[in-house]
Amino acid sequence: MRTLAILCACGERFNYKIDPASVESELGERGIAPILVSHGDHFVTLYVDRNYSVRSVEKVLLATGRTETVHAPAGGGMSPPEIKEKISQLMKDIDPEKNHIAFFSRVASIFHTSDELFAAGRYTGYELWIRKRQTLLKLGAHFKLDPELVISNELKPIFDKLGKTKYLKGEKTLAIQEVISPQFFLGIAQGILDAIHAHVENRDMVIEIEHNILENTLFLRLKQK
Ligand SMILES: [Zn+2]
């Protein structure tokens, strides 16, 4: 285990333990590995170098396929396969796009830590995007994406069915209101990004989405290059 000393985007300092094996290949290939870490009600992406120094900390979700490792903090909790299994069962029982209230209340009764909620949201988001794009994917069509449109065309239609949203066009920001569990909703956004990345033709593109939570509203904003 290596301990990372983090100065979070929220201003607090904390330490985080990671298993070097989980980032080895990424470090070997690129010299820098992004690691998604939970802190309180938010998540940050750390960029770690070969010396396990934290080069930078950003409050972003990434579509690079390189954030596979959400590190379970010491003390256990549910394993990712267990969470995935529970979510796929739950999605069979209740369609989140038809009855999101019932779905969310089951989620809240099954998952408790912010890491579990994030991972659960991630599987949910992945499945919902695949469902939305099913017809296209079945045709074997290659999916091309303009990163500029990821919020309005990919994230918004899914979140529209899960709650109240508002798209602030000029700011390329999606506001999702009355969010009960920000971690779960953030997970959904990350899951959608994961699914897009897995199916998109231009895989070298990088999409970064900044997030903020204010009261019960989650803001997702496309980070401009
Ligand atoms: Zn923080």
Coordinates of all heavy atoms in Angstrom, one line a residue, residues 61-63 129 132-133 143-159 167 172 174 189 192-197 200 205-210 220-224:
L61 N -15.0 14.5 -13.4 CA -15.2 13.1 -13.8 C -14.6 13.0 -15.2 O -14.7 14.0 -16.0 CB -16.7 12.9 -13.9 CG -17.5 13.0 -12.6 CD1 -19.0 12.8 -12.8 CD2 -17.0 12.1 -11.5
L62 N -14.0 11.9 -15.5 CA -13.3 11.8 -16.8 C -14.0 10.7 -17.7 O -14.4 9.7 -17.2 CB -11.9 11.3 -16.5 CG -10.9 12.3 -15.9 CD1 -9.6 11.5 -15.6 CD2 -10.6 13.4 -16.9
A63 N -13.9 10.9 -19.0 CA -14.3 9.9 -19.9 C -13.0 9.5 -20.6 O -12.7 10.0 -21.7 CB -15.3 10.3 -20.9
W129 N -27.3 4.3 -20.3 CA -26.7 4.9 -21.6 C -26.8 3.8 -22.7 O -27.2 4.1 -23.8 CB -25.3 5.4 -21.4 CG -24.9 6.1 -22.7 CD1 -25.1 7.4 -23.0 CD2 -24.2 5.5 -23.8 NE1 -24.5 7.7 -24.3 CE2 -24.0 6.5 -24.8 CE3 -23.7 4.2 -24.1 CZ2 -23.3 6.3 -26.0 CZ3 -23.0 4.0 -25.3 CH2 -22.9 5.1 -26.2
K132 N -30.3 3.6 -23.8 CA -30.7 4.7 -24.7 C -30.1 4.6 -26.1 O -30.7 5.0 -27.1 CB -30.2 6.0 -24.0 CG -30.4 7.3 -24.8 CD -30.1 8.5 -23.9 CE -28.9 9.3 -24.4 NZ -29.2 10.0 -25.6
R133 N -28.9 4.1 -26.2 CA -28.2 4.0 -27.5 C -28.3 2.6 -28.1 O -27.6 2.4 -29.1 CB -26.8 4.4 -27.3 CG -26.6 5.9 -27.0 CD -27.0 6.7 -28.2 NE -26.8 8.1 -27.9 CZ -27.3 9.1 -28.7 NH1 -28.0 8.7 -29.8 NH2 -27.0 10.3 -28.5
F143 N -20.2 5.0 -33.1 CA -20.7 6.1 -32.4 C -19.7 7.2 -32.3 O -18.6 7.1 -31.8 CB -21.1 5.7 -30.9 CG -21.8 6.7 -30.2 CD1 -23.2 6.9 -30.5 CD2 -21.2 7.5 -29.2 CE1 -23.9 7.9 -29.8 CE2 -21.9 8.5 -28.5 CZ -23.3 8.7 -28.8
K144 N -20.1 8.3 -33.0 CA -19.2 9.5 -32.9 C -19.8 10.5 -32.0 O -21.0 10.7 -32.0 CB -19.0 10.1 -34.3 CG -17.9 9.3 -35.1 CD -17.6 10.1 -36.4 CE -16.7 9.2 -37.3 NZ -16.8 9.4 -38.7
L145 N -18.9 11.2 -31.4 CA -19.4 12.2 -30.4 C -18.6 13.5 -30.4 O -17.4 13.5 -30.5 CB -19.3 11.5 -29.0 CG -19.8 12.4 -27.9 CD1 -21.3 12.3 -27.8 CD2 -19.3 11.9 -26.6
D146 N -19.4 14.5 -30.4 CA -18.8 15.8 -30.2 C -18.8 16.1 -28.7 O -19.9 16.2 -28.1 CB -19.7 16.9 -31.0 CG -19.2 18.3 -30.8 OD1 -18.2 18.5 -30.0 OD2 -19.7 19.2 -31.4
P147 N -17.6 16.2 -28.1 CA -17.6 16.4 -26.7 C -18.4 17.6 -26.2 O -18.9 17.6 -25.1 CB -16.1 16.6 -26.4 CG -15.4 16.0 -27.5 CD -16.3 16.1 -28.7
E148 N -18.5 18.6 -27.1 CA -19.3 19.8 -26.7 C -20.8 19.4 -26.4 O -21.5 20.1 -25.7 CB -19.3 20.7 -27.9 CG -18.0 21.3 -28.3 CD -17.7 22.6 -27.4 OE1 -18.6 23.5 -27.5 OE2 -16.7 22.6 -26.7
L149 N -21.2 18.3 -27.0 CA -22.6 17.9 -26.9 C -22.9 16.8 -25.8 O -24.0 16.4 -25.7 CB -23.2 17.4 -28.2 CG -23.1 18.5 -29.4 CD1 -23.6 17.9 -30.7 CD2 -23.9 19.7 -29.0
V150 N -21.8 16.4 -25.2 CA -22.0 15.3 -24.2 C -23.0 15.6 -23.1 O -23.8 14.7 -22.7 CB -20.6 14.8 -23.7 CG1 -20.0 15.9 -22.8 CG2 -20.8 13.5 -23.0
I151 N -23.0 16.8 -22.7 CA -23.9 17.2 -21.6 C -25.4 17.3 -22.1 O -26.3 16.6 -21.5 CB -23.5 18.5 -20.9 CG1 -22.2 18.1 -20.1 CG2 -24.6 19.0 -19.9 CD1 -21.8 19.0 -18.9
S152 N -25.6 18.0 -23.2 CA -26.9 18.2 -23.6 C -27.5 17.0 -24.3 O -28.7 16.7 -24.2 CB -27.0 19.4 -24.6 OG -26.1 19.2 -25.7
N153 N -26.7 16.2 -25.0 CA -27.3 15.1 -25.8 C -27.2 13.7 -25.1 O -27.9 12.8 -25.4 CB -26.6 15.0 -27.2 CG -27.0 16.1 -28.0 OD1 -27.6 17.1 -27.6 ND2 -26.6 16.0 -29.3
E154 N -26.2 13.6 -24.2 CA -26.0 12.2 -23.6 C -26.5 12.2 -22.1 O -27.2 11.3 -21.7 CB -24.6 11.8 -23.7 CG -24.0 11.8 -25.1 CD -24.8 11.0 -26.1 OE1 -25.3 9.9 -25.7 OE2 -25.0 11.4 -27.3
L155 N -26.0 13.2 -21.4 CA -26.3 13.2 -19.9 C -27.7 13.7 -19.7 O -28.5 13.1 -18.9 CB -25.3 14.1 -19.2 CG -23.9 13.5 -19.0 CD1 -22.9 14.6 -19.0 CD2 -23.8 12.6 -17.8
K156 N -28.1 14.8 -20.3 CA -29.4 15.4 -20.0 C -30.6 14.5 -20.2 O -31.4 14.4 -19.3 CB -29.6 16.7 -20.7 CG -30.8 17.5 -20.3 CD -30.9 18.8 -20.9 CE -32.2 19.6 -20.4 NZ -33.4 19.0 -20.8
P157 N -30.7 13.8 -21.4 CA -31.9 13.0 -21.6 C -32.0 11.9 -20.5 O -33.1 11.5 -20.2 CB -31.6 12.3 -23.0 CG -30.6 13.2 -23.6 CD -29.8 13.8 -22.5
I158 N -30.9 11.4 -20.0 CA -31.0 10.3 -19.0 C -31.4 10.9 -17.7 O -32.3 10.4 -17.0 CB -29.7 9.6 -18.9 CG1 -29.5 8.7 -20.2 CG2 -29.6 8.7 -17.7 CD1 -28.1 8.0 -20.3
F159 N -30.8 12.1 -17.3 CA -31.2 12.7 -16.0 C -32.6 13.2 -16.0 O -33.2 13.3 -15.0 CB -30.1 13.7 -15.6 CG -28.9 13.2 -15.0 CD1 -27.7 13.2 -15.7 CD2 -28.9 12.6 -13.8 CE1 -26.5 12.7 -15.2 CE2 -27.7 12.0 -13.2 CZ -26.6 12.1 -13.9
Y167 N -30.9 22.9 -18.2 CA -29.6 23.1 -18.9 C -29.3 24.5 -19.1 O -30.1 25.3 -19.7 CB -29.7 22.4 -20.3 CG -28.4 22.4 -21.1 CD1 -27.3 21.9 -20.5 CD2 -28.4 23.0 -22.3 CE1 -26.1 21.9 -21.2 CE2 -27.2 23.0 -23.1 CZ -26.0 22.5 -22.5 OH -24.8 22.5 -23.2
K172 N -22.8 25.7 -20.6 CA -22.6 24.2 -20.8 C -22.7 23.5 -19.5 O -21.9 22.6 -19.2 CB -21.3 23.9 -21.5 CG -21.2 24.6 -22.9 CD -20.1 23.9 -23.7 CE -20.1 24.3 -25.1 NZ -19.8 25.7 -25.4
L174 N -25.3 21.5 -16.7 CA -26.5 20.8 -16.4 C -26.7 20.9 -14.9 O -25.9 20.5 -14.1 CB -26.5 19.3 -16.8 CG -27.7 18.5 -16.6 CD1 -28.9 19.0 -17.5 CD2 -27.5 17.0 -16.9
A189 N -23.4 9.9 -13.6 CA -22.7 10.7 -14.7 C -21.4 10.0 -15.1 O -21.1 9.9 -16.3 CB -22.4 12.1 -14.1
I192 N -22.2 7.0 -17.3 CA -22.5 7.4 -18.7 C -21.2 7.7 -19.5 O -21.1 7.3 -20.6 CB -23.5 8.6 -18.7 CG1 -24.8 8.3 -18.0 CG2 -23.7 9.2 -20.1 CD1 -25.7 9.4 -17.8
L193 N -20.3 8.4 -18.8 CA -19.0 8.7 -19.5 C -18.3 7.4 -19.8 O -17.7 7.3 -20.8 CB -18.2 9.6 -18.6 CG -18.7 11.0 -18.4 CD1 -17.7 11.8 -17.5 CD2 -18.9 11.8 -19.7
D194 N -18.3 6.5 -18.8 CA -17.6 5.2 -19.1 C -18.2 4.5 -20.3 O -17.5 4.0 -21.2 CB -17.8 4.2 -17.9 CG -17.1 4.6 -16.6 OD1 -16.2 5.5 -16.7 OD2 -17.5 4.1 -15.5
A195 N -19.5 4.5 -20.4 CA -20.2 3.8 -21.5 C -19.9 4.5 -22.8 O -19.6 3.8 -23.8 CB -21.7 3.7 -21.2
I196 N -19.9 5.8 -22.8 CA -19.6 6.5 -24.0 C -18.2 6.2 -24.5 O -17.9 5.8 -25.6 CB -19.7 8.1 -23.8 CG1 -21.1 8.5 -23.6 CG2 -19.1 8.8 -24.9 CD1 -21.3 9.9 -23.1
H197 N -17.3 6.2 -23.5 CA -15.9 5.9 -23.9 C -15.7 4.5 -24.4 O -14.9 4.3 -25.4 CB -14.9 6.2 -22.7 CG -13.5 6.0 -23.1 ND1 -12.8 4.8 -23.0 CD2 -12.7 6.9 -23.7 CE1 -11.6 5.0 -23.5 NE2 -11.5 6.2 -24.0
V200 N -17.4 4.7 -28.2 CA -17.2 5.8 -29.1 C -16.0 5.5 -30.1 O -15.1 4.8 -29.8 CB -17.0 7.1 -28.3 CG1 -15.5 7.3 -27.9 CG2 -17.4 8.4 -29.1
M205 N -10.3 11.0 -27.4 CA -10.8 12.2 -26.9 C -10.9 12.2 -25.4 O -11.1 11.1 -24.8 CB -12.2 12.5 -27.5 CG -13.2 11.8 -26.7 SD -14.9 12.1 -27.3 CE -15.7 10.8 -26.4
V206 N -10.8 13.3 -24.7 CA -10.9 13.3 -23.3 C -12.0 14.3 -23.0 O -12.1 15.4 -23.4 CB -9.6 13.9 -22.6 CG1 -9.7 14.0 -21.1 CG2 -8.4 12.9 -23.0
I207 N -12.9 13.8 -22.2 CA -14.0 14.7 -21.7 C -13.8 14.8 -20.2 O -13.7 13.8 -19.5 CB -15.4 14.0 -22.0 CG1 -15.6 13.8 -23.5 CG2 -16.5 14.9 -21.4 CD1 -16.8 12.9 -23.8
E208 N -13.9 16.0 -19.8 CA -13.8 16.3 -18.3 C -15.0 17.0 -17.9 O -15.3 18.1 -18.5 CB -12.5 17.1 -18.0 CG -11.2 16.3 -18.3 CD -10.0 17.2 -17.9 OE1 -10.1 18.4 -18.1 OE2 -9.0 16.6 -17.5
I209 N -15.6 16.5 -16.9 CA -16.8 17.2 -16.3 C -16.6 17.6 -14.9 O -16.3 16.8 -14.0 CB -18.0 16.3 -16.5 CG1 -18.3 16.2 -18.0 CG2 -19.2 16.9 -15.8 CD1 -19.5 15.4 -18.3
E210 N -16.7 18.9 -14.7 CA -16.5 19.4 -13.3 C -17.9 19.3 -12.6 O -18.9 19.4 -13.2 CB -16.2 20.9 -13.4 CG -14.8 21.2 -14.0 CD -14.5 22.7 -14.1 OE1 -15.4 23.4 -14.6 OE2 -13.4 23.1 -13.8
L220 N -23.2 19.9 -13.3 CA -22.2 19.2 -14.1 C -21.9 20.1 -15.2 O -22.7 20.6 -16.0 CB -22.8 17.9 -14.6 CG -23.2 16.9 -13.6 CD1 -24.0 15.7 -14.3 CD2 -22.1 16.3 -12.8
R221 N -20.6 20.4 -15.3 CA -20.2 21.4 -16.4 C -19.0 20.9 -17.2 O -18.0 20.3 -16.6 CB -19.8 22.7 -15.7 CG -19.6 23.8 -16.8 CD -19.3 25.1 -16.2 NE -17.9 25.1 -15.6 CZ -17.6 25.9 -14.6 NH1 -18.4 26.7 -14.0 NH2 -16.4 25.8 -14.1
L222 N -19.2 21.0 -18.5 CA -18.1 20.6 -19.3 C -16.9 21.5 -19.1 O -17.0 22.7 -19.2 CB -18.6 20.7 -20.8 CG -17.6 20.1 -21.8 CD1 -17.6 18.6 -21.7 CD2 -18.0 20.5 -23.2
K223 N -15.8 20.8 -18.9 CA -14.6 21.6 -18.7 C -14.0 22.0 -20.1 O -13.8 21.2 -20.9 CB -13.5 20.8 -17.9 CG -12.4 21.7 -17.3 CD -11.5 20.9 -16.4 CE -10.3 21.8 -16.2 NZ -9.3 21.0 -15.5
Q224 N -13.8 23.3 -20.2 CA -13.3 23.8 -21.5 C -11.8 23.7 -21.6 O -11.1 24.0 -20.6 CB -13.7 25.3 -21.7 CG -15.2 25.5 -21.6 CD -16.0 24.9 -22.7 OE1 -15.5 24.7 -23.8 NE2 -17.3 24.7 -22.5

